[in-house]
Amino acid sequence: MSDEAHIVKSYEEELQNLNDSLIKMGSLTESQLADSMEAIIKVDKESADKIIANDAKINELRAKIDNQIMTVLVKRAPMAIDLRITISTLKISHDLERIGDLAKSVAKKIKPLPHDLPKELIGSLRRLGDLVQKQLRNVLDAYLNKSKESAITIWKNDEQVDDLTNTAMNEVADFLGKSKKNLELATHLLFVTKNIERAGDHITNIAESLYYLIEGEYLEGARPKGKDIEKN
Amino acid sequence: MVMINNKVKIKTTNLNVYYGDKQALNDVNLEIHSKEVTALIGPSGCGKSTYIRCINRMNDVIDICRVTGSIEIDGNEINKKEIDVVSLREKIGMVFQKPNPFPKSIYDNVSYGPNIHGLAENKVKMDEIVETSLKKAALWNEVKDRLNEPGTSLSGGQQQRLCIARAISVNPEVILMDEPCSALDPIATAKIEELMDELKKSYTIVIVTHSMSQAVRVSQRTGFFHLGKLIEVDTTEKIFKNPNNKMTQDYITGRFG
Ligand SMILES: Nc1ncnc2c1ncn2[C@@H]1O[C@H](COP(=O)(O)OP(=O)(O)OP(=O)(O)O)[C@@H](O)[C@H]1O
Ligand SMILES: [Mg+2]
């Protein structure tokens, strides 16, 4: 990192604007994810509509960031830390957009739900949703503070996301086993759970990009995996 | 991936240069690898030109200049009195910031060096040297029908390529370039950069440049100088993505100048 400012003030401003856009996009994504978790658990169909409509704002911000980055690249040919900031911001904004998409997909599943969620399934789903939200909040804070240690912690915590996903999936499978009538709800819930886990994967990507931004090196080793659960 | 060749062509050890009382280089230890392009960067006055002028003993012509320490080329010390600077400069060509063709024809500009060093036994052989040198400098097609016109009648970019042709006509081992593109437009610059890529297959090239992106485009290794000291030298990729030294980073990102 460098504490010094650029000699060229407008360059400094461009990077600051880029940073501001990303923070804005991060907080928007954070509330979309939180709202979608709340809505699925409550089967709140009205809220689902709002979440679906709001996704466009995230996409707009992503497009804005793409443009800001293209401008910085051609105008400044950024080097070293500035290059890493620019490239990492580009990657992080794309991961945020994907998390937004996943929140929207979850919201879309709320509408066809046949009835409220059975109590026995709510616990794990809530825990998974809370954990992924916490991970997103932490990674955005880590970005603000340029904290390498937090990036590593968040990256490692993906294992817990995988474990909770596993538990939630098993519970849904048990629920399905009880009665054929449960098929439709169970299918939707499996999809929702999987989407939350994927949001977690994008958060891990963000932690990786952040680590690269700070250190100029890639986080060593393969991504942590929870108990053998199939990805993608 | 760039191929990194680790054979050291030029090695300076504890190199110090003084202009009168003023010290311009301070204990510079640098290894320049064979058949690679090494870029030297740093703020104005940090000693880049002074450094490359040591390599072909061009500082000898400056009365007040004193050079101490060791300069080895292929392991042979050249910073000593007994060295024949004329044959040293045959091995080590130089291209300057401002194109400086001799006030002679294009042909004579290129044949001048081979003539002095007796590299061609007859006219046919000399024609051949002139042609290949101009071809290597990517200038042949533009001048083959006007070889007898004065070198100064060419455009700036063409003049600079003529100077490169002149430098390579004596078949040197090293080419030193001091901001060779600073007076050129982007097309002429691109041609010279393209040329360097080709030339580095046969020659060791050291280029001083103020353009960070040029250093990235043309070089495999980069050295950063500041106030007469070599602050950091590493692969160009490392220097421009993630330098070790904060001063290097602040310089290349435009945080001080
Ligand atoms: N002939 C000279 N007589 C006295 N001092 C000199 C001479 N040549 C260079 N110097 C001094 O030596 C220092 C290094 O100069 P040098 O020309 O090597 O810098 P540089 O890095 O090439 O700068 P620039 O990027 O401006 O070309 C400067 O302080 C300069 O004033
Ligand atoms: Mg100079």
Side-chain angles (χ1 to χ4, degrees):
Chain A
M1 299 288 102
S2 190
D3 355 302
E4 239 104 340
H6 288 91
I7 297 162
V8 178
K9 238 168 116 193
S10 49
Y11 186 8
E12 194 71 14
E13 279 165 17
E14 283 162 20
L15 290 180
Q16 189 55 49
N17 290 341
L18 193 57
N19 184 66
D20 295 348
S21 301
L22 194 75
I23 301 293
K24 202 166 154 197
M25 191 178 175
S27 71
L28 210 65
T29 310
E30 205 182 330
S31 48
Q32 283 283 89
L33 185 68
D35 291 349
S36 70
M37 292 301 109
E38 193 63 25
I40 185 79
I41 281 163
K42 292 186 176 156
V43 193
D44 180 344
K45 301 193 182 193
E46 235 171 83
S47 173
D49 281 333
K50 278 192 207 140
I51 294 162
I52 294 164
N54 271 339
D55 188 52
K57 290 185 196 158
I58 296 182
N59 296 346
E60 275 165 30
L61 268 172
R62 204 268 298 141
K64 182 179 169 196
I65 289 174
D66 276 3
N67 268 315
Q68 287 176 314
I69 285 173
M70 279 191 267
T71 306
V72 169
L73 287 176
V74 293
K75 272 172 82 174
R76 313 294 180 187
M79 298 284 176
I81 182 64
D82 300 329
L83 178 64
R84 303 202 313 266
I85 287 175
T86 313
I87 295 304
S88 302
T89 304
L90 181 69
K91 290 172 75 180
I92 291 172
S93 70
H94 283 238
D95 280 309
L96 287 173
E97 187 198 4
R98 290 294 299 135
I99 295 170
D101 289 342
L102 291 163
K104 181 179 161 185
S105 298
V106 168
K108 278 184 170 169
K109 286 289 161 191
I110 297 171
K111 299 178 85 177
L113 284 186
H115 52 75
D116 282 357
L117 302 190
K119 282 216 168 55
E120 72 247 49
L121 295 185
I122 288 180
S124 293
L125 194 60
R126 191 186 280 285
R127 273 196 298 281
L128 176 62
D130 286 350
L131 178 62
V132 171
Q133 285 179 68
K134 190 176 113 196
Q135 286 273 88
L136 181 57
R137 201 177 322 120
N138 288 347
V139 88
L140 294 171
D141 284 347
Y143 174 83
L144 266 180
N145 306 323
K146 304 288 179 282
S147 166
K148 174 178 84 176
E149 290 72 25
S150 305
I152 297 171
T153 309
I154 291 153
W155 187 76
K156 284 187 177 154
N157 281 349
D158 192 52
E159 202 171 338
Q160 289 176 34
V161 174
D162 289 348
D163 286 343
L164 272 179
T165 303
N166 215 4
T167 309
M169 297 274 233
N170 284 334
E171 286 177 14
V172 177
D174 289 345
F175 169 69
L176 176 60
K178 282 186 200 156
S179 160
K180 278 217 175 100
K181 281 188 297 180
N182 293 339
L183 180 64
E184 198 188 348
L185 183 68
T187 314
H188 287 312
L189 283 183
L190 285 175
F191 180 89
V192 164
T193 310
K194 200 72 208 167
N195 276 355
I196 303 173
E197 187 213 9
R198 281 207 193 132
D201 288 341
H202 287 287
I203 294 165
T204 315
N205 288 347
I206 296 175
E208 284 170 3
S209 299
L210 177 59
Y211 185 92
Y212 181 75
L213 187 169
I214 299 165
E215 285 291 283
E217 278 165 21
Y218 294 101
L219 252 171
E220 288 293 320
R223 173 175 300 190
K225 289 262 160 134
K227 285 178 213 111
D228 271 341
I229 85 161
E230 207 200 350
K231 293 245 162 182
N232 70 59
Chain B
M1 264 305 279
V2 266
M3 281 287 290
I4 302 289
N5 165 337
N6 286 318
K7 190 172 176 295
V8 174
K9 181 73 184 175
I10 303 163
K11 180 177 176 178
T12 59
T13 314
N14 297 333
L15 185 66
N16 288 286
V17 178
Y18 307 84
Y19 294 105
D21 299 338
K22 190 186 177 314
Q23 186 163 7
L25 286 181
N26 197 324
D27 274 336
V28 175
N29 296 309
L30 177 58
E31 291 184 346
I32 289 167
H33 295 185
S34 178
K35 296 185 181 171
E36 268 187 20
V37 178
T38 299
L40 304 182
I41 60 168
S44 193
C46 69
K48 305 175 297 294
S49 298
T50 299
Y51 183 83
I52 63 168
R53 281 202 306 262
C54 289
I55 299 171
N56 65 351
R57 297 269 305 262
M58 283 285 281
N59 286 321
D60 288 16
V61 301
I62 302 170
D63 283 343
I64 55 166
C65 186
R66 193 159 58 85
V67 179
T68 70
S70 156
I71 307 166
E72 285 173 3
I73 301 199
D74 294 323
N76 302 314
E77 181 61 49
I78 62 138
N79 191 26
K80 55 181 186 189
K81 283 218 170 62
E82 310 84 87
I83 286 292
D84 171 9
V85 282
V86 175
S87 61
L88 176 72
R89 287 176 200 153
E90 183 185 346
K91 276 207 302 196
I92 303 176
M94 189 154 180
V95 176
F96 298 86
Q97 175 169 5
K98 278 229 284 286
N100 57 348
F102 303 136
K104 289 166 178 280
S105 72
I106 294 169
Y107 185 99
D108 289 349
N109 262 279
V110 184
S111 65
Y112 181 84
N115 226 337
I116 288 188
H117 298 294
L119 300 183
E121 56 266 30
N122 54 43
K123 175 84 166 87
V124 177
K125 188 81 184 53
M126 187 57 92
D127 287 353
E128 215 177 281
I129 293 179
V130 169
E131 182 172 339
T132 41
S133 303
L134 286 167
K135 277 184 173 160
K136 280 191 190 165
L139 188 59
W140 177 250
N141 286 334
E142 289 156 71
V143 301
K144 61 176 190 285
D145 301 322
R146 49 191 286 203
L147 292 173
N148 292 318
E149 288 176 29
T152 48
S153 70
L154 296 170
S155 76
Q158 289 170 330
Q159 287 186 22
Q160 195 61 305
R161 277 178 285 148
L162 180 62
C163 293
I164 292 173
R166 187 177 66 191
I168 60 189
S169 64
V170 292
N171 203 17
E173 294 166 21
V174 177
I175 304 175
L176 308 172
M177 298 179 154
D178 198 347
E179 301 180 50
C181 301
S182 58
L184 306 185
D185 76 13
I187 302 291
T189 299
K191 282 187 182 161
I192 305 252
E193 290 180 358
E194 179 79 9
L195 179 60
M196 290 175 74
D197 233 26
E198 190 55 37
L199 294 177
K200 75 162 192 287
K201 292 175 189 160
S202 333
Y203 310 103
T204 301
I205 300 176
V206 185
I207 179 175
V208 170
T209 178
H210 281 289
S211 159
M212 302 301 126
S213 36
Q214 178 170 63
V216 175
R217 287 191 300 267
V218 302
S219 73
Q220 287 70 55
R221 292 173 71 78
T222 296
F224 169 62
F225 283 79
H226 185 243
L227 296 176
K229 287 187 177 149
L230 177 66
I231 303 296
E232 182 170 0
V233 59
D234 212 321
T235 61
T236 298
E237 187 173 329
K238 173 80 176 140
I239 294 284
F240 289 99
K241 284 188 184 162
N242 187 20
N244 282 324
N245 193 288
K246 182 173 181 299
M247 252 202 274
T248 313
Q249 167 141 301
D250 284 350
Y251 178 69
I252 64 175
T253 59
R255 285 176 165 88
F256 81 80

